[in-house]
Amino acid sequence: MNSKLVKTSSALTLFVLMASVVAASAPAFALNGHGTTYGRGPQFGGGVGGATSGGAYLTYNNGLSINGASFDISQYTTTIKTQTLYVNIPSDITVKIYEHGGTQLVQHGILFLGLKGTDPQTYQTNTYIEWDKNTGASTSDPNGLFKSATVIAKYSGQFMYLTFHINPAKTLDTSHIIVRAWDLNHSNGQVIVLNAIKIAYTPQGFGRTNP
């Protein structure tokens, strides 16, 4: 009986020691491989994924810019005054990204549009613009919303700026947007911006003729 107890105790001790070694050697931004962040991924103003309650390495209040107008998206969910984009007139949506390990770690960014309802989720839309550090920009646009859409990445000091250049091809009712980015180790950050944009024809007097 004592022999079995000793063997069991020794096996348990060995397991705890092995687990401690693995935990000590794990990278600071490790993931479980299914999107759950154990470390800190890209952020847009505060904390993990923008949630200031998560504890931020750096806070700032201008994480989003739409055609030059800046907005604080340091919370995970933010409601802003709806910004109007116009058909056939290029517009810019820029997100300001901070990554504690250095912005060179940011690998991917994506902007989801065409979201409605009280609880927007990325799976609810198939319209998005994405940027990848290795392959550049691409879009999913099954409804023909974009006449053109490109993405430019710029680096300044400790920040990365992803600018989504959009030339709309058609109108869009008021839409939420979701911004997501992840780093080399797949740690991710995400923010939801409610009532963010709509796309309309240019008003009369703009010098353009609506269809």
Side-chain angles (χ1 to χ4, degrees):
M1 181 71 177
N2 290 338
S3 177
K4 290 183 179 180
L5 181 60
V6 169
K7 288 181 179 179
T8 301
S9 177
S10 298
L12 179 59
T13 301
L14 180 60
F15 174 78
V16 171
L17 288 173
M18 290 176 65
S20 299
V21 171
V22 170
S25 62
F29 291 85
L31 279 186
N32 68 358
H34 298 283
T36 302
T37 305
Y38 289 115
R40 302 191 187 279
Q43 54 181 268
F44 308 94
V48 177
T52 53
S53 60
Y57 285 113
L58 180 70
T59 59
Y60 49 97
N61 61 6
N62 58 348
L64 174 68
S65 176
I66 302 176
N67 286 336
S70 295
F71 302 94
D72 184 347
I73 55 171
S74 57
Q75 301 297 318
Y76 181 72
T77 302
T78 305
T79 302
I80 68 171
K81 180 180 179 181
T82 304
Q83 301 297 295
T84 303
L85 315 184
Y86 294 103
V87 174
N88 293 324
I89 295 181
S91 289
D92 290 340
I93 298 177
T94 300
V95 290
K96 181 179 179 180
I97 302 172
Y98 172 77
E99 164 77 45
H100 182 65
T103 53
Q104 74 279 358
L105 292 178
V106 179
Q107 297 293 304
H108 205 93
I110 186 166
L111 172 68
F112 296 91
L113 306 92
L115 290 157
K116 311 291 183 181
T118 57
D119 183 27
Q121 304 290 331
T122 57
Y123 67 81
Q124 296 169 344
T125 182
N126 52 12
T127 300
Y128 54 85
I129 311 166
E130 59 185 328
W131 169 88
D132 183 87
K133 188 173 184 179
N134 297 317
T135 60
S138 61
T139 63
S140 173
D141 186 26
N143 300 311
L145 183 64
F146 311 128
K147 185 174 182 179
S148 64
T150 59
V151 189
I152 300 295
K154 292 184 178 181
Y155 302 84
S156 179
Q158 57 192 332
F159 296 109
M160 174 184 185
Y161 297 84
L162 272 185
T163 298
F164 299 85
H165 297 288
I166 302 170
N167 191 350
K170 60 169 61 174
T171 60
L172 177 68
D173 292 336
T174 300
S175 166
H176 314 311
I177 64 173
I178 294 178
V179 181
R180 179 183 292 171
W182 54 92
D183 64 20
L184 185 64
N185 299 295
H186 297 167
S187 295
N188 67 83
Q190 175 177 293
V191 287
I192 299 170
V193 186
L194 301 177
N195 302 330
I197 65 168
K198 67 178 180 180
I199 302 174
Y201 289 118
T202 54
Q204 296 296 326
F206 250 51
R208 293 174 180 266
T209 302
N210 299 333

